[in-house]
Amino acid sequence: MANYILSCCSTADLTQEKFDELDVKFCPFHFSVDGVDYPDDLGKSYPFEKFYNDMTNGAMTKTSQLSVGEYTAYFESFLLEGKDIIHCALSSGLSGTVQSATIAANMLMEKYPERKIAIIDSLAASSGFGLLMAMLAKKRDEGATFEECAKYAEEIKLNVHHWFFSTDLTFYVRGGRVSKASGWIGNMLHICPLLNVDFEGHLIPREKIRSEKKVQKIIVDRMLENADNGADYDGICYISHSNCPEWVEGVIKHIENNFPKLKGKVEVFSIGTTIGAHTGPGTVALFFMGKKREN
């Protein structure tokens, strides 16, 4: 049994059952709805369906990352058990949490010089972040040492592909990512932006696609172009979504039509409250392993 724990943020957007299955620990971010604060605890404190319905009805949401003090308390609980820690943080292209976790880790390694803490910038988000943790859990279970697993995380993190589309631009407008005029026109014409996470961990708009049905096909076309072994891909495939299961069904249908080895194997999760506070309802994200991201 490995003498280290794998850890990440709640923004990996897996279920509690999946975290338990993988034996991966997580620390919750924070969010607020109309000024009331909650922990991002995988929908326990604030169910996802209610969260997205409240956003649709005009609730104002904000998010906050963990402080250095919170990371210190979280990490120390494992160090006191005699465990080393590999902690993967939400992409530095989306959050400053890597820096906070690193400061906490450095202070604790002075206090516990016999222990080791590795902080990994995942360059990932949502269930793509979760997919990275699944790959690391597999490596750990195969007998990898602390050093081998931390090195593996750095080697493969850019092979995790993230592709997103949104069927509602309202919350991209609210967050300043889309102008009011563009958002109004986009919603009226059913334009669905296709985005991905680049090699620096930023969320980048790639295409403007008209109609929800068309974007469901095109997101799978991008998987065909980038997945390991193309249509023969048989690795992990995750989808996360913000309260729009009808669009997820369409994407899965296209995946199973193009990737015969993935029939019945695509796993679906909810986009959590931290990521969802910025996307709003109507976002679908597809994650898989592929060639290294280079742009």
Side-chain angles (χ1 to χ4, degrees):
M1 183 175 179
N3 197 40
Y4 60 90
I5 65 111
L6 292 175
S7 168
C8 63
C9 315
S10 58
T11 48
D13 287 352
L14 302 177
T15 61
Q16 183 67 64
E17 292 75 18
K18 193 66 178 180
F19 278 121
D20 291 344
E21 174 191 325
L22 297 173
D23 191 17
V24 169
K25 312 301 182 185
F26 74 92
C27 47
F29 272 39
H30 311 283
F31 69 98
S32 67
V33 180
D34 290 335
V36 179
D37 295 328
Y38 302 91
D40 179 3
D41 56 4
L42 314 182
K44 298 184 186 72
S45 298
Y46 208 117
F48 296 135
E49 185 174 359
K50 173 175 169 53
F51 177 75
Y52 289 115
N53 286 338
D54 287 350
M55 288 187 76
T56 299
N57 292 326
M60 299 301 295
T61 58
K62 293 183 179 179
T63 62
S64 59
Q65 63 190 44
L66 277 78
S67 67
V68 172
E70 288 173 307
Y71 271 120
T72 300
Y74 171 72
F75 290 151
E76 191 165 24
S77 66
F78 301 114
L79 300 178
L80 289 170
E81 296 175 358
K83 297 288 187 178
D84 297 325
I85 304 165
I86 297 175
H87 177 77
C88 296
L90 176 64
S91 172
S92 60
L94 301 172
S95 168
T97 189
V98 173
Q99 183 178 11
S100 298
T102 300
I103 293 170
N106 288 339
M107 290 192 302
L108 285 168
M109 284 190 288
E110 290 184 7
K111 185 176 179 180
Y112 300 90
E114 74 283 6
R115 299 265 61 90
K116 295 176 286 190
I117 306 175
I119 304 298
I120 309 293
D121 180 356
S122 72
L123 300 177
S126 194
S127 300
F129 188 3
L131 194 159
L132 175 63
M133 300 313 298
M135 296 294 291
L136 299 187
K138 182 174 184 292
K139 188 73 172 178
R140 175 205 58 204
D141 294 345
E142 290 172 349
T145 64
F146 174 95
E147 290 77 13
E148 289 169 341
C149 198
K151 181 181 178 183
Y152 182 67
E154 296 289 0
E155 289 173 348
I156 69 162
K157 65 186 184 182
L158 286 177
N159 294 96
V160 182
H161 282 254
H162 310 58
W163 287 89
F164 299 73
F165 70 80
S166 180
T167 61
D168 186 347
L169 300 180
T170 302
F171 300 93
Y172 291 83
V173 172
R174 182 183 292 180
R177 292 172 175 81
V178 175
S179 70
K180 288 183 179 179
S182 295
W184 182 81
I185 294 170
N187 282 336
M188 184 178 67
L189 298 178
H190 297 282
I191 291 174
C192 303
L194 182 67
L195 312 92
N196 78 339
V197 174
D198 71 2
F199 72 107
E200 293 181 329
H202 299 105
L203 189 59
I204 305 295
R206 297 297 184 182
E207 300 177 60
K208 296 178 181 178
I209 300 163
R210 190 168 179 179
S211 92
E212 293 88 349
K213 287 188 176 181
K214 187 174 181 182
V215 75
Q216 292 171 53
K217 177 184 181 300
I218 290 177
I219 198 171
V220 177
D221 289 344
R222 298 297 166 267
M223 184 175 174
L224 280 166
E225 293 168 4
N226 292 285
D228 286 338
N229 302 316
D232 286 328
Y233 181 72
D234 61 354
I236 300 172
C237 182
Y238 289 168
I239 291 176
S240 61
H241 70 102
S242 52
N243 206 32
C244 49
E246 67 276 19
W247 306 128
V248 172
E249 291 175 6
V251 173
I252 291 176
K253 181 177 179 180
H254 285 294
I255 290 172
E256 294 187 342
N257 285 341
N258 286 278
F259 295 88
K261 294 179 180 178
L262 292 182
K263 286 187 177 180
K265 296 182 179 179
V266 179
E267 296 184 64
V268 180
F269 305 97
S270 289
I271 293 176
T273 46
T274 297
I275 303 294
H278 299 281
T279 68
T283 293
V284 176
L286 172 61
F287 310 100
F288 54 89
M289 296 298 294
K291 60 188 179 184
K292 198 168 290 290
R293 287 151 32 204
E294 294 180 347
N295 57 41

